[in-house]
Amino acid sequence: HLQLVESGGGLVQPGGSLRLSCAASDLTLDYYSIGWFRQAPGKEREGVSCITTVDGATLYADSVKGRFTISADNAENTVYLQMDSLKPEDTGIYYCAAGMGLVLGPGRYNYWGQGTQVTVSS
């Protein structure tokens, strides 16, 4: 059973950076796509970025292109989300999830972590 644990969230000022980590246990990531999602209060969960670890293909939401970078360390079974030039609208709980296919729709992901809070505020 695949388990995912997120870390790296926190409070940061606008324009700052954070790096989120998603560590997987029990199974290799090679068979999955790993996505990052976020949910702000009162809003639906939205896809931010995803990666297929077997070939490194990536996909980004338009709202984060050029600011966020997703990467994978297959040896460590960990996927990272480097977030730069953060904006207040990036605030939310960030989740990583494992699924099939390079897509940003949450419905294609079967395994979810517990989430980590990211707050962008001055």
Side-chain angles (χ1 to χ4, degrees):
H1 178 68
L2 181 61
Q3 293 181 315
L4 303 172
V5 178
E6 304 95 336
S7 61
L11 173 64
V12 64
Q13 292 186 342
S17 298
L18 283 174
R19 189 176 81 155
L20 305 183
S21 299
C22 173
S25 63
D26 299 336
L27 288 174
T28 179
L29 293 178
D30 287 352
Y31 306 109
Y32 298 94
S33 296
I34 302 298
W36 283 99
F37 300 82
R38 66 188 180 190
Q39 189 164 18
K43 295 188 176 181
E44 292 186 353
R45 191 170 298 187
E46 64 172 346
V48 173
S49 182
C50 58
I51 186 169
T52 49
T53 57
V54 66
D55 61 5
T58 59
L59 184 64
Y60 295 93
D62 288 343
S63 59
V64 306
K65 279 181 183 176
R67 300 189 298 121
F68 291 10
T69 304
I70 192 170
S71 62
D73 183 336
N74 290 359
E76 295 295 327
N77 263 9
T78 301
V79 171
Y80 302 98
L81 185 68
Q82 177 67 41
M83 306 187 296
D84 299 317
S85 302
L86 282 161
K87 304 175 181 180
E89 52 262 45
D90 294 317
T91 295
I93 300 174
Y94 282 68
Y95 301 88
C96 68
M100 296 295 175
L102 194 67
V103 294
L104 291 178
R108 295 288 296 272
Y109 291 80
N110 300 315
Y111 301 98
W112 290 82
Q114 294 300 307
T116 185
Q117 176 70 45
V118 171
T119 304
V120 185
S121 175
S122 55

